């Protein structure tokens, strides 16, 4: 899953550690999401969206197509 988390974080001058603290997750979790190694749970995706005042779709783009 592609995402804009790193860009949004940088726009707000937040470090991975800062964002991790705000989201109550580890810095490693933020790094894994930013590098596409980990997809956040739905509750975490909503939390990220609320923090950046964006919709989930504005931050995360799925790669699968629905048939």
């Amino acid at each position: 899953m592609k995402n804009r988390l790193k860009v949004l974080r940088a726009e707000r001058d937040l470090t991975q550690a800062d964002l991790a603290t705000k989201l109550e997750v580890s810095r490693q979790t933020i790094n894994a999401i930013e590098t596409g190694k980990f997809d956040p749970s739905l509750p975490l995706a909503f939390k990220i969206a609320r923090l950046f005042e964006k919709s989930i779709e504005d931050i995360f783009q799925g790669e699968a197509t629905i048939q």
Side-chain angles (χ1 to χ4, degrees):
M1 180 185 312
K2 295 180 181 180
N3 69 75
R4 299 183 52 233
L5 190 58
K6 186 174 183 177
V7 172
L8 293 170
R9 179 176 60 75
E11 287 175 354
R12 286 156 181 81
D13 289 327
L14 293 171
T15 65
Q16 287 184 344
D18 294 336
L19 183 57
T21 299
K22 290 179 181 288
L23 295 172
E24 299 176 322
V25 298
S26 69
R27 187 199 57 77
Q28 290 81 4
T29 297
I30 300 301
N31 183 60
I33 294 171
E34 287 184 356
T35 58
K37 294 178 182 169
F38 173 75
D39 291 334
S41 66
L42 192 54
L44 180 55
F46 273 109
K47 205 169 182 178
I48 292 168
R50 278 194 300 271
L51 180 71
F52 289 109
E53 299 178 332
K54 303 277 185 192
S55 69
I56 290 177
E57 294 84 0
D58 287 339
I59 301 171
F60 300 97
Q61 292 84 38
E63 296 170 7
T65 57
I66 299 172
Q67 298 180 10

